Amino acid sequence: MILYIAEKPSLARAIAAALPSPQKKEEGCIWLPNGDCISWCIGHLLEQAEPHQYNPAYKTWNLDHLPIIPDDWQWQEKANTKKQLSILKKLIKKATTLVHAGDPDREGQLLVDEVLHYANVPAQKLKNTRRLLVNDLTPAAIKKALNTLRSNTEFAALSRSALGRARADWLYGLNLTRAYTIKGRQAGYQGVLSIGRVQTPILGLVAMRDKERETFVPKNFYQVWANIQTPQGESFQAKWLPSDACRPYMDEENRVLSLPLAQNVANRISNKPATVIDANYKQKKQSAPLPYSLSALQIDAAKAFSLSAQQVLDTCQTLYERHQMITYPRSDCRYLPSQQHKDAPAIIDALVRSGGDIQQGAKNADASRKNKAWNDKQVTAHHAIIPTTQAHKAASLSKTEALVFNLIARQYLMQFYPDYDYLASYIKVDIEGGLFEAKGNTPIALGWKALLPNKGKNKDTEDENQNELPKLNKNDALWCDQGQVQEKITTPPAAFTDATLLAAMTGISRFVTDKDIRAVLKETDGLGTEATRASIIELLFKRGFLIRQGKQIHASQTGRAFIDCLPEQLVTPDMTAKWEAALNGISLGEASYQEFMTQLESNLNHLLTASRDMPISALQNLPAPTKNPFAKRKTSSPKKTPRTRKTTTSTTPSSHKKRRSKAPS
């Protein structure tokens, strides 16, 4: 008997729809006519044991107990899913062949693997376990995946990476939360001071940005523009490029701070001849942006529709599971496998039949085009988020679902349009010994930008990039009829929004303080994962550490005060960025799980020493917690892996069913 173990019931139903009928549904499973069976997890059926299950003394929070580091890690059954786990264990024992059908990511791999290990599957049976990778819940896509099963052992490193992340989060969050909460209570604070290796640096980023804004001192600066005429009557503007002689009057960003200097230049060039010293015209092409990863989609949806990261994730889950109109949404990849290109005509046809805003765009798409988005080398367990052949059902979507789906569909259709073609112009002129430059971008063919609502205009460059510049040659004589001074004022860094906070989390290297760490971080490294970023941001709001003011996100008074108490290592992203790089190395088989855990435990001891040495006075001014947001955490999200409180040693009440879990080899 083959047993397929899906990550959740919706995936199990989708797999069943791709397999022969008649089928028999029983509690917790679906039987196929040939005697094979499909069952499922309900998210994580297991969680790591609570500290008191290792040692009853750990029920009391005490600094003397820290660090709590298990010698033999143990799982415990989640109370609300024990029944399903019991069904699964019986089916696993009965099955001759197991098929792992967890979601195609780090967490999905561990979620089923932990059940297999907990059920004490014999070594040979474990070795023969197959892996089903489902990115698309349509029957055709699942049938294709069922014909390309892989060995589950190929994904052992991915599972070790997820286990390392879970155990590291447990050690870090549990020990440091207890340490600072105890210190807070000694100082009179009656809430829980929760620390997480991702949530605390996020709070630190927001608190730091708030401080920068509050201490920002605006400065006036000045630009000089020359209004230039050609002999043919054409006109354009050129901006002054201050020379090194002006440096004493400029700031570190080369902005002129002296109004008299700017006025003097403007007066000097008015009604004076000008000479072209450089004229450059190049026809350039810009390829379409890649299809979406979850974070890229969340950022664009926040900018366009003010949707929070969690709203976008929840909407994507509905589009994926209920409507089956998009592929697996919790993806950190923006590329597609070459084989997927064969599905393009059917997907585009479904978008043509969907009606609405994207119908015309789909009609004009050329399904034969194949650009850089199709790249097998860039695709791992999952690929970019794209529409499926069920896209024709778009009329049935809610308003929010339609907004998010249209973004995904539009980004996919862009891959089947020509490049954006434009003329990049650059002119440099000399006026009275001063240098001035003009830049321009002239659209030739919109290509994929025709799908954008503003027809492809780039708002970021419109201010200084003129739409069209005259055709000139070196040494051409021109005339400056007027010099103008434009007064501007420096602005503080913008407050974080959902879009910019997500962008900061995905491109965290920009905020890393250690140059050596920043140098080795890849562009894809970030704080948290595609699957957890939204929930971590929401968690900080629930705990009262972050607050919203319109679209802006700020640290609350409590959040600010707490960050001020903590050592720099806890509030900057350097440490967790190194973690993510190490975990990625483990998942690729390039780094050691044991070495990662050893280094982490050593650093944890260092941080706990710092917490013990911190004077109580540092926590005495913390504002009281609001609405008791620090109550024991519970989550119903099937993908979130809550940090459970765990520990070391090994005495456990018999009322808790548990299983020891060795560190992976």
Side-chain angles (χ1 to χ4, degrees):
M1 183 259 278
I2 298 174
L3 173 64
Y4 300 87
I5 306 174
E7 177 157 336
K8 54 179 82 73
S10 58
L11 177 57
R13 290 192 293 269
I15 294 171
L19 291 170
S21 293
Q23 298 172 359
K24 181 183 177 184
K25 294 183 180 179
E26 289 185 359
E27 187 175 20
C29 66
I30 302 169
W31 289 96
L32 303 177
N34 66 350
D36 293 341
C37 186
I38 305 168
S39 188
W40 52 85
C41 302
I42 307 170
H44 281 276
L45 299 179
L46 299 166
E47 58 189 1
Q48 294 181 64
E50 296 284 338
H52 64 268
Q53 293 178 245
Y54 294 99
N55 186 336
Y58 295 154
K59 276 192 174 182
T60 303
W61 289 23
N62 190 318
L63 283 176
D64 293 335
H65 295 159
L66 307 180
I68 298 172
I69 302 175
D71 295 321
D72 292 314
W73 290 83
Q74 299 170 13
W75 297 110
Q76 70 180 41
E77 299 180 7
K78 294 180 76 172
N80 58 343
T81 53
K82 277 187 176 184
K83 192 171 186 179
Q84 183 61 24
L85 179 59
S86 177
I87 292 169
L88 251 185
K89 286 194 293 184
K90 290 175 184 175
L91 291 170
I92 289 170
K93 190 173 183 179
K94 185 177 179 181
T96 52
T97 303
L98 301 170
V99 177
H100 180 316
D103 281 350
D105 60 8
R106 187 166 72 183
E107 209 61 35
Q109 184 65 38
L110 176 63
L111 192 144
V112 176
D113 278 347
E114 65 192 21
V115 172
L116 298 181
H117 286 283
Y118 185 78
N120 281 331
V121 175
Q124 190 59 42
K125 191 171 173 180
L126 207 56
K127 185 178 179 181
N128 293 335
T129 299
R130 312 299 291 167
R131 183 66 165 98
L132 173 64
L133 297 170
V134 177
N135 279 294
D136 179 337
L137 294 185
T138 57
I142 291 178
K143 284 179 183 177
K144 190 184 295 184
L146 286 165
N147 290 326
T148 55
L149 294 177
R150 295 164 66 178
S151 170
N152 193 49
T153 58
E154 292 181 41
F155 302 89
L158 191 67
S159 196
R160 279 196 297 274
S161 173
L163 188 62
R165 196 260 335 137
R167 289 178 175 177
D169 278 351
W170 189 92
L171 289 171
Y172 185 89
L174 169 86
N175 283 285
L176 291 172
T177 295
R178 288 194 174 201
Y180 280 95
T181 299
I182 292 166
K183 295 289 283 192
R185 288 174 183 171
Q186 291 172 357
Y189 182 78
Q190 295 307 310
V192 174
L193 293 174
S194 176
I195 289 181
R197 58 104 186 179
V198 175
Q199 59 167 297
T200 307
I202 294 172
L203 178 58
L205 283 180
V206 178
M208 188 184 306
R209 177 63 57 86
D210 288 345
K211 288 179 183 178
E212 289 175 4
R213 288 170 54 80
E214 289 168 8
T215 58
F216 180 82
V217 179
K219 296 182 291 187
N220 292 327
F221 68 100
Y222 307 93
Q223 294 177 344
V224 180
W225 290 84
N227 296 323
I228 299 175
Q229 303 290 331
T230 71
Q232 292 74 32
E234 299 168 296
S235 63
F236 66 96
Q237 287 192 316
K239 189 175 79 168
W240 177 43
L241 300 174
S243 67
D244 286 342
C246 301
R247 196 156 298 282
Y249 305 97
M250 297 160 66
D251 64 11
E252 64 280 356
E253 295 183 38
N254 296 326
R255 294 177 294 211
V256 173
L257 305 179
S258 169
L259 177 59
L261 172 61
Q263 289 173 332
N264 179 54
V265 172
N267 292 334
R268 245 177 52 220
I269 64 172
S270 295
N271 294 311
K272 294 290 171 62
T275 304
V276 177
I277 59 175
D278 188 16
N280 196 304
Y281 304 89
K282 287 183 180 177
Q283 187 168 341
K284 294 185 176 181
K285 294 181 182 294
Q286 183 181 348
S287 57
L290 293 167
Y292 283 126
S293 64
L294 176 59
S295 289
L297 173 61
Q298 288 169 321
I299 290 167
D300 278 4
K303 289 178 180 176
F305 313 123
S306 299
L307 294 175
S308 73
Q310 191 64 47
Q311 285 176 306
V312 176
L313 176 55
D314 292 343
T315 302
C316 282
Q317 283 298 125
T318 302
L319 289 169
Y320 174 62
E321 294 181 4
R322 185 189 306 165
H323 301 294
Q324 298 182 5
M325 289 175 60
I326 65 170
T327 57
Y328 179 69
R330 296 170 184 260
S331 174
D332 60 355
C333 179
R334 299 195 68 175
Y335 290 88
L336 297 165
S338 297
Q339 187 180 9
Q340 199 281 332
H341 192 266
K342 292 186 291 187
D343 300 333
I347 295 172
I348 292 172
D349 178 65
L351 290 170
V352 169
R353 292 184 285 123
S354 70
D357 297 338
I358 58 172
Q359 185 177 44
Q360 191 58 47
K363 286 180 179 178
N364 295 331
D366 179 1
S368 66
R369 282 188 173 273
K370 190 173 185 180
N371 65 8
K372 64 181 181 181
W374 280 271
N375 186 336
D376 292 332
K377 292 181 180 178
Q378 297 289 341
V379 178
T380 52
H382 38 236
H383 57 64
I385 307 169
I386 60 171
T388 71
T389 53
Q390 299 298 305
H392 62 275
K393 301 189 296 186
S396 66
L397 300 178
S398 69
K399 181 179 178 181
T400 301
E401 290 167 355
L403 290 174
V404 173
F405 177 74
N406 284 346
L407 278 182
I408 296 168
R410 186 180 74 187
Q411 200 86 352
Y412 178 70
L413 289 173
M414 286 177 181
Q415 315 309 313
F416 304 97
Y417 274 66
D419 291 344
Y420 168 55
D421 199 356
Y422 65 101
L423 182 69
S425 308
Y426 179 80
I427 299 171
K428 185 182 279 188
V429 300
D430 179 298
I431 312 172
E432 292 293 292
L435 296 179
F436 293 76
E437 69 175 6
K439 298 175 183 178
N441 286 334
T442 307
I444 297 171
L446 285 176
W448 59 268
K449 284 199 174 189
L451 290 169
L452 298 175
N454 60 0
K455 297 304 179 189
K457 288 184 180 179
N458 188 332
K459 294 181 180 179
D460 294 330
T461 57
E462 270 185 69
D463 288 345
E464 296 188 4
N465 274 13
Q466 294 156 73
N467 192 43
E468 195 166 354
L469 292 176
K471 292 288 178 64
L472 300 173
N473 295 303
K474 190 175 181 179
N475 298 321
D476 280 356
L478 308 172
W479 184 261
C480 174
D481 59 20
Q482 186 181 19
Q484 292 181 318
V485 175
Q486 188 175 57
E487 182 175 349
K488 293 191 172 184
I489 188 168
T490 58
T491 56
F496 278 116
T497 62
D498 282 284
T500 57
L501 188 54
L502 275 168
M505 293 173 74
T506 54
I508 199 61
S509 59
R510 292 178 292 131
F511 299 91
V512 169
T513 56
D514 187 305
K515 292 181 181 178
D516 293 332
I517 299 173
R518 192 188 311 138
V520 299
L521 281 177
K522 299 174 184 175
E523 203 56 42
T524 52
D525 286 332
L527 278 175
T529 66
E530 302 293 322
T532 61
R533 285 173 186 142
S535 60
I536 290 167
I537 293 172
E538 290 302 310
L539 199 60
L540 286 166
F541 281 109
K542 289 176 183 175
R543 289 180 172 158
F545 286 156
L546 291 181
I547 55 174
R548 291 187 188 274
Q549 293 178 359
K551 291 184 179 181
Q552 295 183 352
I553 295 174
H554 297 281
S556 66
Q557 190 180 359
T558 302
R560 281 275 295 272
F562 185 33
I563 287 297
D564 288 341
C565 299
L566 298 176
E568 184 179 5
Q569 186 183 162
L570 296 181
V571 299
T572 61
D574 298 45
M575 181 181 69
T576 194
K578 283 196 291 186
W579 276 29
E580 290 296 344
L583 291 168
N584 186 54
I586 294 170
S587 70
L588 297 173
E590 298 170 354
S592 161
Y593 163 89
Q594 295 294 352
E595 185 177 338
F596 169 72
M597 294 299 290
T598 299
Q599 291 178 354
L600 181 136
E601 290 174 14
S602 174
N603 188 49
L604 176 61
N605 278 306
H606 172 74
L607 289 169
L608 287 171
T609 299
S611 70
R612 289 188 179 95
D613 294 342
M614 182 185 66
I616 293 175
S617 58
L619 294 165
Q620 283 177 338
N621 296 320
L622 283 180
T626 55
K627 307 184 188 176
N628 191 25
F630 306 103
K632 187 173 181 179
R633 283 173 271 166
K634 291 185 181 178
T635 175
S636 58
S637 171
K639 273 300 295 177
K640 198 176 203 175
T641 338
R643 213 175 341 282
T644 48
R645 315 191 201 299
K646 294 131 204 179
T647 131
T648 143
T649 5
S650 122
T651 53
T652 321
S654 58
S655 59
H656 286 275
K657 198 167 186 180
K658 66 186 189 303
R659 190 68 49 87
R660 297 190 177 204
S661 173
K662 299 285 186 183
S665 57

